[in-house]
Amino acid sequence: MDSKIGAEERIMQAAIAVFCLRGYDGARMQEIADSADISKASLHYYFRSKENLFRKTVRELFSSIIRNIRSRISEDDSIEEVIGKLVNGYVDMFTAHRRQAFYFLTELMKHEEVLSEIMAGLDTSAFTGGILERFRKEREAGTIIDIEPVDLLINIIGMSVFPIMAEPMLKRALNLSEAEFSNLLAKRKPIVINFVLAAVLRDKP
Amino acid sequence: MDSKIGAEERIMQAAIAVFCLRGYDGARMQEIADSADISKASLHYYFRSKENLFRKTVRELFSSIIRNIRSRISEDDSIEEVIGKLVNGYVDMFTAHRRQAFYFLTELMKHEEVLSEIMAGLDTSAFTGGILERFRKEREAGTIIDIEPVDLLINIIGMSVFPIMAEPMLKRALNLSEAEFSNLLAKRKPIVINFVLAAVLRDKP
DNA sequence: ACATGGTTTGACCAGATGGTATAACATGTT
DNA sequence: AACATGTTATACCATCTGGTCAAACCATGT
């Protein structure tokens, strides 16, 4: 651990790593302390309890992911570009933060109150609202098929994210080696984009 | 717990429930014992250790899910029917076994050796092989677009399964109530089917 | 009645774990 | 120097938890 940065931040980084790796129950305060090059007592000095540290950790992780997802989609983009950027954004983000994202879906299912608490303090519409609105307009204009915006968004995210999250299962179910599977993932972006476009566009080339 | 059935089976049911609810580390042998109306000592009498019980549990759960997924798709079905049955099958299965399926994706990520061990003793091709082969044929025949069978399968599963698994996150991100969200899920089957058909079919009506 | 073998359990243990008390250490202020 | 304040670490504690043990229980056969 980089001892130049402050202890508090070092602990946060260590805690995120350990929580993501072991889960809440599996995480040991001692391991977090060691990993932050600090004594367990100091750990409790900064963050009173494990639960408190957990909440702070989750909040930090979440907002960093949200910051990341806030897509660079502009009003001027064509619908093809919008869909392309969405797929690229979700795939990149979930690839980069795989363990952390996974951690969310799992640990926060057990501690739903924590999730609620955090989501409550966030402007959720900021990161879906714009896109849903755009889909609604395209649908009204007739450039895309008659599909509920929410369903379209879920389809896109599902196809983008699912294989990344389900990797350990899929790899074995499909009998693919590590290399074969990452090759498969690497090739998927354009495939998903074309799949979506083929499904939703009214006027095909 | 039903005390008519044998202790061993009662324990298995209790263990599955508790493991799914709390995760491996969060699960307490005492809770499993209580939930099976048996003493903790008896629990250890039947299953020597927590780890052993965990492995047996996972194996049982897995094979039951596999049994469920082994689809009723026949050679005679049209490609439309095949896709329809796939979506229906996956959605139904993951809806019914939501917690358990979730448990897999999470807990088995931490204990990959257990997953490997189990998958090794299973004929995985049985539940994907037939479908992949079918997709390959349709692709060659030109009835569907030029897409890798594996990618098509992943797309279908992703769209079907993702919203069910990501419910706690999605519900809040989209600002939907419990009722609104289950309504959304209930309506998705035909939407996904039509989406896939629109994307893959060469000759559209 | 007795023996036998599987089953069940209360009591217990060793180790781990979250958390704390206490004192030492550092740094700056008066 | 003396004091105040913030930080760090050693030693410790109460509790929990997986696991064990010896004794009791129960069914069946002889």
Side-chain angles (χ1 to χ4, degrees):
Chain A
M1 276 287 154
D2 188 357
S3 56
K4 277 275 180 250
I5 60 177
E8 202 151 344
E9 199 172 330
R10 241 163 51 230
I11 294 174
M12 282 293 277
Q13 288 181 14
I16 287 176
V18 174
F19 277 134
C20 285
L21 186 63
R22 314 242 184 246
Y24 179 78
D25 291 304
R28 300 291 150 230
M29 294 298 267
Q30 189 62 59
E31 185 175 357
I32 295 173
D34 290 347
S35 169
D37 261 321
I38 214 169
S39 77
K40 201 179 54 155
S42 290
L43 189 74
H44 278 86
Y45 171 76
Y46 283 102
F47 303 85
R48 282 220 307 270
S49 67
K50 186 181 184 181
E51 168 138 358
N52 191 36
L53 178 57
F54 173 66
R55 284 172 190 258
K56 292 242 168 84
T57 296
V58 170
R59 215 168 287 139
E60 164 64 24
L61 238 184
F62 204 95
S63 60
S64 99
I65 287 182
I66 290 281
R67 253 178 272 137
N68 234 299
I69 212 177
R70 209 175 289 262
S71 54
R72 302 127 288 177
I73 294 165
S74 83
E75 297 269 346
D76 306 333
D77 289 335
S78 68
I79 184 67
E80 287 91 342
E81 284 172 316
V82 170
I83 289 169
K85 286 184 179 180
L86 270 177
V87 172
N88 277 301
Y90 275 103
V91 169
D92 288 344
M93 189 195 57
F94 276 80
T95 304
H97 299 271
R98 204 180 73 119
R99 273 222 111 85
Q100 291 90 328
F102 202 87
Y103 178 58
F104 270 113
L105 279 151
T106 63
E107 219 56 31
L108 289 183
M109 195 158 188
K110 284 190 263 176
H111 308 257
E112 286 212 35
E113 359 88 44
V114 180
L115 180 57
S116 297
E117 186 193 297
I118 288 163
M119 291 299 254
L122 280 172
D123 181 17
T124 54
S125 71
F127 81 104
T128 61
I131 291 146
L132 291 180
E133 182 60 19
R134 176 66 190 267
F135 286 165
R136 202 186 54 71
K137 275 182 192 150
E138 299 286 343
R139 181 197 194 185
E140 260 179 23
T143 45
I144 65 171
I145 57 166
D146 187 30
I147 187 172
E148 209 64 49
V150 172
D151 283 306
L152 177 51
L153 184 60
I154 291 179
N155 285 353
I156 292 173
I157 303 179
M159 283 188 281
S160 302
V161 168
F162 173 77
I164 301 169
M165 305 295 270
E167 171 172 342
M169 190 80 31
L170 275 177
K171 210 162 50 188
R172 290 175 176 84
L174 300 171
N175 239 325
L176 298 177
S177 72
E178 201 79 35
E180 286 170 326
F181 192 83
S182 39
N183 187 258
L184 184 152
L185 279 188
K187 284 187 181 158
R188 269 186 65 81
K189 275 188 199 172
I191 291 171
V192 172
I193 295 171
N194 288 333
F195 192 89
V196 175
L197 291 179
V200 299
L201 286 188
R202 267 264 152 70
D203 48 345
K204 316 244 163 58
Chain B
M1 278 285 156
D2 188 355
S3 56
K4 275 278 181 251
I5 58 176
E8 203 152 344
E9 198 172 333
R10 240 163 52 229
I11 294 174
M12 282 293 278
Q13 289 182 13
I16 288 176
V18 174
F19 276 133
C20 285
L21 187 63
R22 313 243 185 246
Y24 180 77
D25 291 305
R28 299 291 152 231
M29 293 299 267
Q30 190 62 59
E31 186 175 355
I32 295 173
D34 290 348
S35 170
D37 260 321
I38 213 168
S39 76
K40 200 179 53 154
S42 289
L43 190 73
H44 279 85
Y45 171 76
Y46 283 101
F47 303 85
R48 285 219 306 270
S49 67
K50 188 181 184 181
E51 168 139 356
N52 190 38
L53 177 58
F54 174 66
R55 286 173 189 257
K56 292 243 168 84
T57 297
V58 170
R59 214 168 288 139
E60 164 64 25
L61 239 183
F62 204 96
S63 61
S64 99
I65 287 182
I66 291 280
R67 250 177 274 138
N68 235 300
I69 213 179
R70 207 175 288 262
S71 53
R72 301 127 289 177
I73 295 167
S74 80
E75 297 269 346
D76 306 333
D77 288 336
S78 69
I79 185 68
E80 288 91 342
E81 283 172 316
V82 170
I83 289 169
K85 286 184 178 179
L86 270 177
V87 172
N88 277 302
Y90 276 102
V91 169
D92 287 345
M93 189 193 58
F94 276 78
T95 304
H97 299 271
R98 203 180 74 120
R99 272 221 113 85
Q100 291 91 327
F102 202 86
Y103 178 58
F104 269 113
L105 278 150
T106 64
E107 219 56 32
L108 290 184
M109 195 157 186
K110 284 190 263 176
H111 307 256
E112 286 212 34
E113 2 86 44
V114 179
L115 180 56
S116 297
E117 186 193 298
I118 288 162
M119 292 299 253
L122 279 173
D123 181 18
T124 53
S125 71
F127 82 103
T128 62
I131 291 146
L132 291 179
E133 181 61 17
R134 177 63 191 267
F135 286 164
R136 200 185 56 71
K137 277 184 192 149
E138 298 286 343
R139 182 197 194 185
E140 261 179 24
T143 44
I144 65 171
I145 58 166
D146 188 31
I147 187 173
E148 209 64 49
V150 171
D151 283 307
L152 177 51
L153 184 60
I154 291 178
N155 286 353
I156 292 172
I157 303 179
M159 284 188 280
S160 303
V161 167
F162 174 76
I164 301 170
M165 304 295 272
E167 171 172 344
M169 189 81 30
L170 275 177
K171 210 163 50 190
R172 290 176 177 83
L174 299 171
N175 239 327
L176 298 176
S177 72
E178 200 79 36
E180 287 169 326
F181 192 82
S182 39
N183 188 257
L184 185 151
L185 279 188
K187 283 186 181 159
R188 269 187 64 82
K189 275 190 204 172
I191 291 171
V192 172
I193 294 171
N194 288 331
F195 192 89
V196 175
L197 292 179
V200 300
L201 287 188
R202 269 261 151 74
D203 48 344
K204 316 244 161 63

